[in-house]
Amino acid sequence: MTKSNPGNFLEDFRQGQIIAHATPKTITEGDVALNIALTGSRYALFSADSFAQNCGLPGAPVDPLLVFHTVFGKTVPDISLNAVANLGYAEGRFLAPVYAGDTLNAVSEVLGVKQNSNGKTGVVTVRTTGFNQDEIPVLSYVRWVMVNKRDASAEVTDAPPKTPASSVLVPDLVLPQGIDFSQYDFALAGSRYGLQDYEIGEKIDHVDGMTVEEAEHQLATRLYQNTAKVHFDALAQKESRFGKRLIYGGVTISIARALAFNGLANAQLMIAINGGRHVNPLFAGDTLYAWSEVLAKEDLGDIGALRLRLVAVKNKPATDFPFKNEAGEYDPNVVLDFDYWAAIPKR
């Protein structure tokens, strides 16, 4: 017996299991400022109370990705402390805005468990819901993660999950209550482009690059209270496949999204995550570039929405939009393939 938590292994999960995760976290203005310092994000809606108030909100909401990473971090000790890799996300919906001073907690339901053919690992699929202090859901998403077994001889009853939806349907998109872009200030937002200016199939090179430093990615992951060993324990990772610490995929997402400001400054409010894959590892010292493709456009009434594919590329500019070859294999420099919906004003 030990009083410390070794984390769950594959044989500890059961389909239908409900896990209430520890350590609620109050999001402070300091968290918001530090997140901007670590990612370089410049989206006006999350940077200025006055801008957000001009858009009908009581003040600047917390960046949805900071909400996502915070809720995700709650789940790590129970879901992925013994993970080999986080494989993907789907069905992500931001259900209510979060403001500084709100407290977040998380609950997960195990949707499926399936052992891999090697008998040493398997895939666990969960749906996680984040709640605020009033027990109002603010975020829900599905993720699947490859987890080690504690005992290779342990029996695991396969219970594959239902295949996640390929995208969040337009009627299921949720806009923050009160949001109004009728007085939207394009000059202060940093771009003159609205919904009408983007075309389906259009690709945008976000031009700028950002080198990810060791101390910065460690600090960002601690900010989210993510305890995954692969991001922190350099001694243990010497014996791993890569021989060094991996950068948390959420850091990759947030930096790539910050880079996307240059070309998509007005598509600043992420409202859903259709899917995401970390297709290659990222390490300290790597430089990230990013490009986006417009997958769909929707008119939500007074506000529009763009479905966007965000691709992050390491150590290679995105000028020629590196992605997949004819065989469907990812370019080795691609580290992230992320599909999401973002609200955008009309002109």
Side-chain angles (χ1 to χ4, degrees):
M1 291 291 294
T2 176
K3 289 185 172 64
S4 57
N5 176 22
N8 289 315
F9 291 84
L10 184 69
E11 58 265 42
D12 298 319
F13 293 99
R14 299 288 182 273
Q15 190 177 56
Q17 181 180 1
I18 303 295
I19 303 172
H21 304 292
T23 318
K25 187 175 194 302
T26 300
I27 305 296
T28 68
E29 292 181 356
D31 294 328
V32 172
L34 182 56
N35 188 63
I36 291 174
L38 293 168
T39 63
S41 180
R42 292 184 285 158
Y43 294 102
L45 193 66
F46 314 118
S47 299
D49 285 337
S50 56
F51 187 95
Q53 289 161 358
N54 193 51
C55 293
L57 300 177
V62 176
D63 187 327
L65 281 178
L66 177 54
V67 175
F68 177 80
H69 300 327
T70 301
V71 170
F72 185 102
K74 304 295 100 193
T75 73
V76 169
D78 300 309
I79 304 298
S80 50
L81 194 63
N82 297 301
V84 178
N86 189 57
L87 300 178
Y89 319 96
E91 298 183 12
R93 297 170 66 223
F94 294 97
L95 303 170
V98 173
Y99 296 93
D102 285 345
T103 298
L104 302 180
N105 63 79
V107 175
S108 295
E109 177 187 1
V110 178
L111 301 180
V113 182
K114 192 175 191 313
Q115 182 171 270
N116 291 330
S117 59
N118 63 15
K120 299 178 181 179
T121 61
V123 176
V124 177
T125 303
V126 300
R127 182 185 302 278
T128 296
T129 304
F131 299 87
N132 67 15
Q133 67 279 1
D134 298 319
E135 299 186 359
I136 296 172
V138 299
L139 165 67
S140 174
Y141 66 91
V142 172
R143 74 156 165 147
W144 48 104
V145 56
M146 188 184 301
V147 179
N148 284 306
K149 292 178 71 175
R150 178 190 296 106
D151 178 0
S153 65
E155 291 188 10
V156 175
T157 302
D158 279 352
K162 176 183 176 182
T163 301
S166 59
S167 67
V168 176
L169 300 177
V170 173
D172 294 328
L173 297 175
V174 178
L175 293 172
Q177 185 175 2
I179 195 164
D180 178 4
F181 283 168
S182 61
Q183 303 300 315
Y184 190 90
D185 192 322
F186 286 86
L188 290 181
S191 171
R192 60 187 176 88
Y193 300 117
L195 178 69
Q196 301 93 322
D197 300 303
Y198 293 91
E199 299 298 331
I200 295 173
E202 179 180 358
K203 295 180 179 179
I204 304 163
D205 174 13
H206 299 304
V207 180
D208 306 310
M210 186 180 296
T211 301
V212 186
E213 305 293 350
E214 188 81 82
E216 291 173 346
H217 88 83
Q218 299 267 309
L219 188 58
T221 309
R222 291 190 185 100
L223 173 65
Y224 313 137
Q225 294 181 319
N226 183 329
T227 59
K229 302 172 185 177
V230 295
H231 308 315
F232 294 114
D233 192 336
L235 181 62
Q237 295 315 303
K238 285 183 179 180
E239 305 302 321
S240 70
R241 178 159 63 110
F242 300 109
K244 53 186 174 181
R245 289 172 287 192
L246 299 177
I247 290 176
Y248 163 49
V251 173
T252 306
I253 296 171
S254 281
I255 292 177
R257 171 83 169 133
L259 294 173
F261 176 90
N262 191 353
L264 286 167
N266 292 322
Q268 52 186 306
L269 179 60
M270 187 179 293
I271 53 178
I273 298 171
N274 298 305
R277 293 184 61 193
H278 301 288
V279 298
N280 282 299
L282 187 72
F283 303 105
D286 287 341
T287 299
L288 273 184
Y289 296 89
W291 64 271
S292 293
E293 179 181 4
V294 179
L295 301 179
K297 296 171 57 175
E298 293 291 340
D299 189 328
L300 303 182
D302 296 331
I303 293 174
L306 293 177
R307 182 178 175 184
L308 299 162
R309 169 180 285 126
L310 174 62
V311 179
V313 186
K314 67 177 181 181
N315 304 327
K316 178 181 180 180
T319 312
D320 58 351
F321 309 111
F323 190 46
K324 294 180 180 179
N325 61 22
E326 292 181 356
E329 300 165 330
Y330 283 99
D331 184 295
N333 293 87
V334 170
V335 295
L336 174 70
D337 180 3
F338 193 74
D339 178 344
Y340 68 101
W341 284 103
I344 188 170
K346 300 176 182 179
R347 283 192 298 104

Short mmCIF file of all heavy atoms in Angstrom, two decimals, residues 42-47 51 55 63-64 181 184 189 257 264-270 342-345:
data_model
loop_
_atom_site.label_atom_id
_atom_site.label_comp_id
_atom_site.label_asym_id
_atom_site.label_seq_id
_atom_site.Cartn_x
_atom_site.Cartn_y
_atom_site.Cartn_z
N ARG A 42 -2.49 37.64 -29.23
CA ARG A 42 -2.82 39.07 -29.37
C ARG A 42 -4.29 39.30 -29.68
O ARG A 42 -4.66 40.41 -30.09
CB ARG A 42 -1.96 39.69 -30.48
CG ARG A 42 -0.49 39.77 -30.14
CD ARG A 42 0.26 40.48 -31.26
NE ARG A 42 0.42 39.63 -32.43
CZ ARG A 42 0.65 40.07 -33.66
NH1 ARG A 42 0.70 41.38 -33.89
NH2 ARG A 42 0.81 39.24 -34.67
N TYR A 43 -5.14 38.31 -29.52
CA TYR A 43 -6.55 38.48 -29.86
C TYR A 43 -7.19 39.50 -28.92
O TYR A 43 -7.16 39.35 -27.70
CB TYR A 43 -7.27 37.14 -29.82
CG TYR A 43 -6.78 36.18 -30.88
CD1 TYR A 43 -5.91 35.14 -30.57
CD2 TYR A 43 -7.17 36.33 -32.22
CE1 TYR A 43 -5.45 34.26 -31.54
CE2 TYR A 43 -6.72 35.46 -33.19
CZ TYR A 43 -5.85 34.43 -32.86
OH TYR A 43 -5.39 33.57 -33.83
N ALA A 44 -7.79 40.54 -29.50
CA ALA A 44 -8.27 41.67 -28.72
C ALA A 44 -9.38 41.30 -27.74
O ALA A 44 -9.47 41.88 -26.66
CB ALA A 44 -8.77 42.77 -29.67
N LEU A 45 -10.23 40.34 -28.11
CA LEU A 45 -11.35 39.98 -27.26
C LEU A 45 -10.91 39.49 -25.89
O LEU A 45 -11.60 39.68 -24.89
CB LEU A 45 -12.19 38.90 -27.95
CG LEU A 45 -13.57 38.61 -27.37
CD1 LEU A 45 -14.50 39.81 -27.55
CD2 LEU A 45 -14.18 37.37 -28.03
N PHE A 46 -9.73 38.86 -25.83
CA PHE A 46 -9.22 38.31 -24.58
C PHE A 46 -8.17 39.21 -23.93
O PHE A 46 -7.68 38.91 -22.84
CB PHE A 46 -8.61 36.92 -24.82
CG PHE A 46 -9.49 36.04 -25.67
CD1 PHE A 46 -9.04 35.57 -26.90
CD2 PHE A 46 -10.76 35.72 -25.26
CE1 PHE A 46 -9.85 34.78 -27.69
CE2 PHE A 46 -11.59 34.94 -26.05
CZ PHE A 46 -11.14 34.46 -27.27
N SER A 47 -7.85 40.32 -24.60
CA SER A 47 -6.81 41.21 -24.11
C SER A 47 -7.34 42.47 -23.46
O SER A 47 -6.65 43.08 -22.63
CB SER A 47 -5.88 41.61 -25.27
OG SER A 47 -5.24 40.47 -25.83
N PHE A 51 -12.70 46.31 -25.28
CA PHE A 51 -13.04 45.70 -26.57
C PHE A 51 -14.16 44.67 -26.39
O PHE A 51 -15.12 44.63 -27.17
CB PHE A 51 -11.80 45.03 -27.18
CG PHE A 51 -12.01 44.53 -28.59
CD1 PHE A 51 -11.65 45.31 -29.66
CD2 PHE A 51 -12.58 43.28 -28.83
CE1 PHE A 51 -11.85 44.87 -30.97
CE2 PHE A 51 -12.79 42.83 -30.13
CZ PHE A 51 -12.43 43.63 -31.20
N CYS A 55 -18.29 44.43 -27.56
CA CYS A 55 -18.87 43.26 -28.23
C CYS A 55 -20.00 42.63 -27.41
O CYS A 55 -20.40 41.49 -27.65
CB CYS A 55 -17.79 42.22 -28.50
SG CYS A 55 -16.54 42.73 -29.70
N ASP A 63 -9.42 33.18 -22.59
CA ASP A 63 -9.20 32.49 -23.86
C ASP A 63 -9.71 31.05 -23.75
O ASP A 63 -9.33 30.32 -22.83
CB ASP A 63 -7.70 32.49 -24.17
CG ASP A 63 -7.36 31.93 -25.55
OD1 ASP A 63 -8.06 31.03 -26.02
OD2 ASP A 63 -6.37 32.39 -26.14
N PRO A 64 -10.58 30.60 -24.66
CA PRO A 64 -11.09 29.23 -24.57
C PRO A 64 -10.00 28.16 -24.49
O PRO A 64 -10.20 27.13 -23.84
CB PRO A 64 -11.91 29.09 -25.86
CG PRO A 64 -12.38 30.48 -26.14
CD PRO A 64 -11.24 31.36 -25.74
N PHE A 181 -21.51 41.64 -32.44
CA PHE A 181 -20.42 42.19 -33.24
C PHE A 181 -20.88 43.35 -34.11
O PHE A 181 -20.17 43.75 -35.04
CB PHE A 181 -19.82 41.10 -34.13
CG PHE A 181 -18.90 40.13 -33.40
CD1 PHE A 181 -18.49 38.95 -34.01
CD2 PHE A 181 -18.45 40.40 -32.12
CE1 PHE A 181 -17.64 38.06 -33.35
CE2 PHE A 181 -17.61 39.53 -31.45
CZ PHE A 181 -17.20 38.35 -32.07
N TYR A 184 -18.39 46.10 -33.90
CA TYR A 184 -17.05 45.53 -33.87
C TYR A 184 -16.03 46.51 -34.44
O TYR A 184 -16.24 47.10 -35.51
CB TYR A 184 -17.05 44.24 -34.69
CG TYR A 184 -15.81 43.39 -34.57
CD1 TYR A 184 -15.71 42.41 -33.60
CD2 TYR A 184 -14.74 43.56 -35.45
CE1 TYR A 184 -14.58 41.61 -33.51
CE2 TYR A 184 -13.61 42.77 -35.36
CZ TYR A 184 -13.54 41.79 -34.38
OH TYR A 184 -12.41 41.00 -34.29
N ALA A 189 -9.01 45.44 -33.58
CA ALA A 189 -8.81 43.98 -33.64
C ALA A 189 -7.56 43.62 -34.43
O ALA A 189 -6.99 42.54 -34.22
CB ALA A 189 -10.03 43.30 -34.24
N ARG A 257 -2.04 28.74 -32.52
CA ARG A 257 -3.23 29.60 -32.57
C ARG A 257 -2.83 31.07 -32.41
O ARG A 257 -3.40 31.95 -33.05
CB ARG A 257 -4.18 29.17 -31.47
CG ARG A 257 -5.36 30.06 -31.24
CD ARG A 257 -6.50 29.81 -32.18
NE ARG A 257 -7.66 30.55 -31.70
CZ ARG A 257 -8.45 31.29 -32.43
NH1 ARG A 257 -8.26 31.39 -33.72
NH2 ARG A 257 -9.46 31.94 -31.90
N LEU A 264 -5.81 35.81 -39.37
CA LEU A 264 -7.12 35.42 -38.84
C LEU A 264 -7.43 36.17 -37.54
O LEU A 264 -8.03 35.62 -36.62
CB LEU A 264 -7.18 33.91 -38.60
CG LEU A 264 -7.30 33.02 -39.84
CD1 LEU A 264 -7.03 31.57 -39.48
CD2 LEU A 264 -8.66 33.17 -40.50
N ALA A 265 -7.02 37.43 -37.49
CA ALA A 265 -7.17 38.18 -36.23
C ALA A 265 -8.62 38.31 -35.79
O ALA A 265 -8.90 38.42 -34.59
CB ALA A 265 -6.55 39.57 -36.39
N ASN A 266 -9.55 38.31 -36.73
CA ASN A 266 -10.96 38.49 -36.37
C ASN A 266 -11.68 37.17 -36.11
O ASN A 266 -12.80 37.18 -35.60
CB ASN A 266 -11.69 39.29 -37.45
CG ASN A 266 -11.20 40.72 -37.51
OD1 ASN A 266 -10.93 41.33 -36.47
ND2 ASN A 266 -11.06 41.26 -38.71
N ALA A 267 -11.05 36.06 -36.45
CA ALA A 267 -11.61 34.74 -36.12
C ALA A 267 -11.07 34.35 -34.75
O ALA A 267 -10.47 33.30 -34.55
CB ALA A 267 -11.21 33.71 -37.18
N GLN A 268 -11.32 35.22 -33.78
CA GLN A 268 -10.61 35.11 -32.51
C GLN A 268 -11.31 34.25 -31.47
O GLN A 268 -10.68 33.75 -30.54
CB GLN A 268 -10.33 36.49 -31.94
CG GLN A 268 -11.51 37.42 -31.80
CD GLN A 268 -11.06 38.80 -31.35
OE1 GLN A 268 -10.37 38.96 -30.34
NE2 GLN A 268 -11.41 39.82 -32.12
N LEU A 269 -12.62 34.05 -31.61
CA LEU A 269 -13.38 33.33 -30.59
C LEU A 269 -13.57 31.87 -31.01
O LEU A 269 -14.43 31.56 -31.84
CB LEU A 269 -14.73 33.99 -30.35
CG LEU A 269 -15.63 33.32 -29.31
CD1 LEU A 269 -14.95 33.28 -27.95
CD2 LEU A 269 -16.98 34.01 -29.23
N MET A 270 -12.77 30.97 -30.45
CA MET A 270 -12.94 29.54 -30.73
C MET A 270 -14.21 29.06 -30.03
O MET A 270 -14.39 29.28 -28.84
CB MET A 270 -11.73 28.75 -30.22
CG MET A 270 -11.74 27.28 -30.60
SD MET A 270 -10.27 26.38 -30.02
CE MET A 270 -8.99 27.15 -31.00
N ALA A 342 -14.53 28.85 -35.40
CA ALA A 342 -14.31 30.14 -34.76
C ALA A 342 -15.37 31.13 -35.21
O ALA A 342 -15.71 31.18 -36.40
CB ALA A 342 -12.92 30.68 -35.09
N ALA A 343 -15.90 31.91 -34.26
CA ALA A 343 -16.83 32.97 -34.60
C ALA A 343 -16.06 34.15 -35.22
O ALA A 343 -14.92 34.43 -34.83
CB ALA A 343 -17.59 33.43 -33.38
N ILE A 344 -16.69 34.83 -36.17
CA ILE A 344 -16.05 35.94 -36.85
C ILE A 344 -17.12 36.98 -37.22
O ILE A 344 -18.25 36.62 -37.57
CB ILE A 344 -15.30 35.45 -38.12
CG1 ILE A 344 -14.44 36.56 -38.73
CG2 ILE A 344 -16.24 34.84 -39.14
CD1 ILE A 344 -13.50 36.08 -39.83
N PRO A 345 -16.80 38.26 -37.12
CA PRO A 345 -17.79 39.28 -37.49
C PRO A 345 -18.00 39.34 -39.01
O PRO A 345 -17.16 38.90 -39.79
CB PRO A 345 -17.18 40.58 -36.97
CG PRO A 345 -15.70 40.32 -37.00
CD PRO A 345 -15.55 38.87 -36.65
#
